[in-house]
Amino acid sequence: MSPNSWVIEMAAHKSRLQVRRSLSPHPHALGSDAFVRSPHAPVGNPVFEDIGTILSVLKASGLLPIYEQVSSFEVGPPTRTNEFYSFFVRGVVHALTIFNIYSLMTPNGAKLFISLRETDNVNQWIELLLCILTYTLTVFVCARNTKCIIQIMNEILKLDQEVLRQFGVALSNNCNFSIKFLLLIAACQAYIIFIRIHVLDGVITPTTYILIGFYAIQNGLTATYIVFASALLRIVCIRFQFVNRLLNGYSYAQLLGKSRRQLQSHMESFPEDSLFIYRTHNRLLRIYKSINECCSLIIVCFLGYSFYTVTTNWYNLFVQITNNKGVISSHIMQWCLAWLCLHTALLTLLSRSCGATTNEANITSQILARVYGKSKEFQNIIDKFLTKSIKQEVQFTAYGFFAIDNSTLFKIFSAVTTYLVILIQFKQLEDSKLEEQLQETN
Amino acid sequence: MSQVTPMVQPLLLQFQQLFFLSKVVGVLPQDLTKFRHKNVLEKSRNGMIYMLGMLALYVGLYNLLIYSFSEEDRTLKATQSTLTFVIGLFLTYIGLIMMATDQVTALFNQGKLGELYERIRVVDERLYREQCLVNNSCIAKRIRIMLVMTIIFELFILLTTYIELVDYTQWLSLLWMVSAIPTFINTLDKIWFAVSLFALKERFEAINATLEDLVTEHEKFQTWLTGDADAPEPHTADSSETQPPQYDSNLEYLYKELGGIDIGSLRGSGGKNNKVAPIAHSLNSFGESIQTPRKPHQPNPNPMMNMAHESELSNATKVEEKLNNLCQVHDEICEIGKAMNGLWSYPILSLMAYGFLIFTAQLYFLYCATRAQSIPSLFRSAKNPFITVIVLVYTSGKCIYLIYLSWKTSLASKRTGISLHKCGVVADDNLLYEIVNHLSLKLLNHSVDFSACGFFTLDMETLYGVSGGITSYLIILIQFNLAAQQAKDAIQSFNSFNDTAGLVGAATEFGNESSTLYDLVTTTMMTPSNY
Amino acid sequence: MGYHIDRVLRLHLRFYQLLGLHGLPLPGDAHPSRKAWLLQFWAGCLLTGFSTIAFVCLTSDDDYLYHDDAFSCFNDGMKYGFAEMAVLSIYGETLPGQRYHLARFWQLYGARTPPAGTLRQQLVQHRRYLIQLYGLVFLELVLLCLFVSVQDISHHILLFWSTFQPFVFLVHLRNTQFLLHLELLRQQLVQLECELGLLVEYSSFASVAASFAGFEDYLRRRVREKQLMYERIYELCISFSRAFSYSVLTVLLMIYIRITVDCYFLYYTIYMSIDNIDYYMLMPAVMQIPAFLYASQSCMQMVPRIAYQLHNILTTSSALSLQIQNFSLQILHEPVRIDCLGIIVLDNHLLTRIACAVCTYIIFTVQLMPKLSGSSI
Amino acid sequence: MHFRNWWLSEELASTINTLTNLYQQHLNPHDFNDCLSFDNYIIYKGLSIWLEVASMFVMRYGLSPPISFKLFLGLVGVMAVQMSILLIGMHFHLAVLYIYRSVWIVNRELLTLANQLRMWNIRSSPRVQELHCLYSRLLGLSNRLGALYDYQMTLFMISLLSVNILSIFYMIVYCISLKKILTFALAINFIQALAINLMDFWLSIAVCDLAERQGRATSAILKLFNDIPELEVDLDRSINDFALFCCHRRLRFNHCGLFYVHNAMGFRMIVACVLYLIYLVQFDYMNL
């Protein structure tokens, strides 16, 4: 949706909530609220507690706003000091970036480049620049999307609140993978730093240390942001799953064994449940879209960057294996392997979470099609949804460039082969040119 | 006609020989005696152990084979360009990997497979209750045909290769027989999949057939009703005659009123298609359908209402139940198809990868053999073009048949909605229209699409991308080969110019190939919504 | 076969029968069964003839093929091979198994349409097809005459063209036959759209000025007729794609292969500086594919237009809107989609792909040429 | 291109007229003030046109030796042709933008309608019908526009892409292969020309993509009507009609059947450009 309609929608949505409260006085509302408050008040945010580590990291690096927690189901905008802190961190980051680019121009930046062939140097230049670009863009986009992210969080929390009120189910989201990935990222980066410094010969100036360290930090933070995005997607995916499970209770398979009486009693709760399901589905779709809008630029950049990194690393491996000198430097091997495993893991995570969420979002209509509408109004209720969801599959697109789902890995690796071949040709070209020069000198 | 007996006989009855065979070679771990008595697949520990033993045996033999034939490869490595050697090394184990994938997945799924066929049996019973009969008898025939063809192909390839290309002087060469095992087992596994898929397709077609029967019956009923045999065919007849005469005065008035507008519209649309005959047609048909009062006056403007008891379609409440059940069964079959796809997804993926790689490699080695270069010993069948052709036909036949079958199945499942709409249109009745709309909305959302682990859908459009991929990789390999050859014989800059140029071309093809994959993926995304 | 077709179609179908492409007796023939048998026999004879030509060309060591280097020889062989495939599939489809669908096509078509009255009307009705057919054939003949007059005929060229040209003619005529069927299909669709447009006008007119009791019901019945029409058109499309399933694929393949190979030879003759202008003969082949694709796309484009017209009908009663919803659902279920064996949809997007593929192949051949000519067997 | 433009001029005029009186009839009561992206894109478009002209001037004067009269005439001629081409492109995009804005208004109306229905529970309104017919007319207009401009736009895009590739290629050849030292002014010229070309190209894609996304948003908004309890029957029916219509006809811009214009297409085009650039560079590289 276009942003302005989005705004209207938000307003409407809030008012609708109030309407629902005012219209339907929940007898158990107070009790449920108490039930909600009591466990969660000490713990803090019920939803985001298990991605808390990532949140803290991102907050500390100024990528996320350090929001206040108003109630257990709402987060408020950050206080001024925290805002200032975030601004300060971003400013430092940009300063460091500029400093890096400057020092890369200076000769001691050239020591970072290991290989001698000019193609490789060009590759490494492009890689460095891409990394810097990605990180800077991430920072900028995050700075712009502060409000958007807080809105998303609030939406999710409200959703949980309603679910809790209607069904008394507190949705748990198992995003424990995030911590593992954090560890993986940290380990890979540290290892890479170590190898770099180990490989470097001669006296190492502090600027070089700053360069390498900041480079590693940039990579790590970008990767962390990707993990965060996929965690958000996972959360949304779990909500979708909940809706689908709810809907699945009405499908044929459940109804087969029952008698007509049971069927009646089973189906009579269908209309209001269907209303709730439809509303929840709409809101989930909206959350999904807004997440997409927030992250898509970053994701595009990251995809491009990791694609390029994977390609260059494969290329380096290839060169190391097939060079005629016969000496294979183990450092470069380890280095490439570390990069490869890091980026492949991230790509897999991203594509899998996107694919899972998209699948869950699109499967709802199929499940609804399985609901047995005996009487006329049930059929109407079902038709209403189905008519509007023909050919309306949602996609998690990378800025509209291409859809991200399970097949993205496939595409990316086919593209990697393409560019690999091109790089190999450049290498052969250079070899042939060297030979020519040798022949001319002889 | 097996279903005429009141109790539906299970589908597995047809699978006897296939099950015995696959039991013996160790494709399926399920229990033999239970199958023989109750025609059910149940998991059994002994079968599992036996199967694992077989797997271990095969792996051992295969390794022995590779070892015994590898001394030729040492010479190959010495002489040959590294490319061929690397490819050979890479492709040596892929057949084994494929076989292992099949057997291990069969082990994991041994429980689920039985449930699958149980579900199919339940579906058969429900279909039988709807008086639409499924004929299982031709399945057994199919199985036999497939088995025979498999065995013929395998034996032919094996024997010809053995006689032609293996020196059967030392006894070790008997090990060559082992090289046929993986493909054979894989084919058996795929026959299970293919036949079950075919059974699903038959179920879909049975549903469609019942719907079509409803339509034809109703049409007969209508023609009998409208009673004039001279009408060329029912539709125009009833459409022109069920039009009650009392409208006609108003219609002519309306027609006069609209004449100007029509002409204007025609002129206006003249830009788009300037005064083609079809418009004249439309005017004619409309005109003549306007001047219908000369037709004999029908006693009842709408024949559906009073003669309701004749055709089944004409009372909605009775047919609603049937249509509902059919729709549910359709959905159930779709679910079964998805489950089956889930069971076989990894084997299919491995089969596709295997087919792709082997096809490319075989052609490449054929090229090498024609250029009198030595090739890896396991692919010695590439030395003889004829055997190569047979191998290629066999390998590609497996893949293409699976793809074709799944495509056909999804077509059949889509066909159901069409025949449903035929029912709706033929008996035009508001109640029925509501039902038909509801059900067709549901049918639109029943999707049966077979995909290999979500990487690509098993669809004919995949063939396009795959063929493009094969050609491009082949050309790239050949060009690398040429480059290596020319690098061997002493070079000057001219040749390097050429082979780099060739490589550039290769890269171009690569780019296009990836882009075709791109298009392929996009098209496969678009296929549910092409319009 | 109780259907009747107008004179122009009749003439051209006779023409195709003469070439053994249309394996059906026309309506009004005396004893159709014998006619059908004769046609099959004739098709079989032609098939054997072509196959023998191809076999001889592929096997004999007289230079039907270009024998100077391996790659060119391989290319020529490929040309012959695909031509043979095309011919096999073409005549295989005139045999009884496939003929059922063709018969159904014509039956449906003939049952659908009253033939246009005067000859001029018929000409106007089929003008697209006629222009394409005669334009292409004429172009081909002119080029052939030019070729014969200008080119000094060497042995190879004589043998090659005298054997290969019949294949080319046959395949191109088959392509024009596809064009004919597609054109008929398109006419049906256009007519349906126009009638729906009339209904739209009526409904709008009735909504503003003159509506009367039962007008809704009348409109509903009209929509139902249109629904039946659409159903029959869909049947037409299905039977077309079944009747010509394989030959569409092979004909397209053959033309495509020929274009690529001849482009290669074009470059080759320039590269080797041979005076040989037979690549001008490529022109009609280049024209063929776009003609076919354009026809199929113009068919497929009609469907959304029909839906558009359908939804423009102003609905006031629930019954009518129910009917309209039913119709649109039916259109959703039955998209007119012309694809060869489901492998690829035949529209202009394919054109871009083909062009790109041809370029790629040219690049290869251009780079492979010196090497292969250097290392020919 | 011009010929076709002239050929279809009266059709074009009729289309524009229908668009304008559509505005006068339906859309004028609504305020366009908060349709930000529309204004932004209008501004961008005009800016890009002026920048193109300016960059052409700068390129000519930067590259060419001191002006002789003939050269000047030639320059003026070339400039005129390019100007006209650019203006044609601009016309198309402005029309697309207008359509976008009206679709946007339709969406907003639908949204407000949904919210009204939800808040004060009105159970029926005739608005949906009107919006539906409005939307269908917009679609018809967009199709006519696409049919009008397809060849021009295809040529336009192809020319832009080829200009980009060739300019980069020549630049690389110039500064690397020929070992010429790259003067600063030259670099600035080149870069600004390239950037402006790219920007224009991307605008021409982004505009269409904007409209298309808006069209998709319509069906997404229609989903919001799902969760309103007990609607009127005919309102519900008309909404269903609208939804079916949306899933049949979507607002898409297809240039003579060759390609749809949206971001994915642009992305693929640019990737293809990069690939071809690389091949050109390789050919050049090994010719040295």
Side-chain angles (χ1 to χ4, degrees), chain D residues 207-248:
Chain D
V207 168
C208 297
D209 186 68
L210 191 67
E212 193 182 328
R213 257 184 289 140
Q214 205 48 245
R216 248 185 270 117
T218 310
S219 44
I221 292 171
L222 279 175
K223 277 189 182 181
L224 291 180
F225 286 88
N226 281 335
D227 54 358
I228 306 171
E230 66 274 358
L231 274 178
E232 269 287 323
V233 181
D234 50 359
L235 175 62
D236 197 3
R237 215 182 50 229
S238 48
I239 290 172
N240 281 349
D241 280 342
F242 201 171
L244 278 176
F245 180 72
C246 287
C247 76
H248 270 300

Side-chain angles (χ1 to χ4, degrees), chain B residues 308-352:
Chain B
H309 49 82
E310 295 287 345
S311 153
E312 192 175 4
L313 262 184
S314 44
N315 63 345
T317 50
K318 190 154 124 288
V319 82
E320 174 178 9
E321 193 60 32
K322 179 162 187 161
L323 290 183
N324 251 326
N325 291 334
L326 283 181
C327 176
Q328 291 188 17
V329 175
H330 184 275
D331 171 60
E332 178 62 19
I333 300 176
C334 288
E335 287 305 302
I336 293 177
K338 272 183 200 157
M340 191 189 297
N341 186 15
L343 289 192
W344 264 285
S345 63
Y346 287 104
I348 286 178
L349 185 61
S350 66
L351 172 68
M352 290 302 160

Side-chain angles (χ1 to χ4, degrees), chain B residues 16 23 89 104 119 124 163 229 242 261 320 323 395 405 412 458 467 472 483 517 520:
Chain B
Q16 299 282 359
K23 181 69 183 168
L89 205 62
V104 172
R119 280 171 79 180
D124 281 351
I163 294 166
T242 52
I261 297 179
E320 174 178 9
L323 290 183
T395 315
L405 206 55
L458 290 184
S467 52
S472 52
L517 276 177
L520 163 78

Side-chain angles (χ1 to χ4, degrees), chain C residues 9 15 18 127 176 222 244 255 270 273 328 339 342 361:
Chain C
L9 286 184
F15 177 54
L18 215 61
R127 71 190 181 295
T176 52
R222 281 271 163 229
F244 295 122
I255 299 179
I270 295 170
S273 69
S328 63
D339 49 5
Y361 192 76

Side-chain angles (χ1 to χ4, degrees), chain C residues 135-288:
Chain C
L136 287 173
V137 171
F138 182 69
L139 177 63
E140 186 127 18
L141 289 177
V142 165
L143 281 177
L144 196 55
C145 303
L146 265 180
F147 178 59
V148 172
S149 59
V150 175
Q151 176 71 29
D152 49 351
I153 303 295
S154 75
H155 183 56
H156 160 69
I157 291 179
L158 175 65
L159 282 177
F160 175 74
W161 283 106
S162 57
T163 51
F164 192 64
Q165 197 58 33
F167 286 101
V168 174
F169 268 126
L170 184 72
V171 167
H172 288 180
L173 285 173
R174 180 67 164 186
N175 197 7
T176 52
Q177 195 184 2
F178 300 152
L179 281 181
L180 171 64
H181 290 82
L182 284 177
E183 171 63 20
L184 295 182
L185 199 60
R186 195 190 62 85
Q187 284 173 12
Q188 303 291 323
L189 284 164
V190 169
Q191 175 178 354
L192 181 56
E193 193 216 351
C194 292
E195 296 184 3
L196 274 174
L198 281 184
L199 282 189
V200 171
E201 303 249 345
Y202 288 157
S203 66
S204 57
F205 180 74
S207 66
V208 290
S211 174
F212 52 83
F215 176 75
E216 286 296 336
D217 189 15
Y218 161 72
L219 211 57
R220 196 185 65 75
R221 202 170 293 109
R222 281 271 163 229
V223 173
R224 173 165 173 271
E225 285 178 34
K226 300 298 170 296
Q227 221 164 332
L228 289 169
M229 267 175 66
Y230 185 78
E231 188 179 308
R232 221 160 307 142
I233 292 175
Y234 181 68
E235 289 296 327
L236 271 181
C237 170
I238 289 292
S239 49
F240 167 76
S241 52
R242 282 198 188 135
F244 295 122
S245 55
Y246 290 96
S247 64
V248 168
L249 181 59
T250 45
V251 163
L252 281 185
L253 255 180
M254 184 253 178
I255 299 179
Y256 161 69
I257 293 288
R258 171 155 181 255
I259 288 176
T260 44
V261 169
D262 283 356
C263 289
Y264 160 73
F265 274 111
L266 163 63
Y267 182 82
Y268 183 82
T269 43
I270 295 170
Y271 180 77
M272 296 283 182
S273 69
I274 306 168
D275 63 337
N276 180 356
I277 58 165
D278 59 357
Y279 44 79
Y280 288 129
M281 306 295 297
L282 196 56
M283 207 72 72
V286 178
M287 310 277 292
Q288 289 283 349

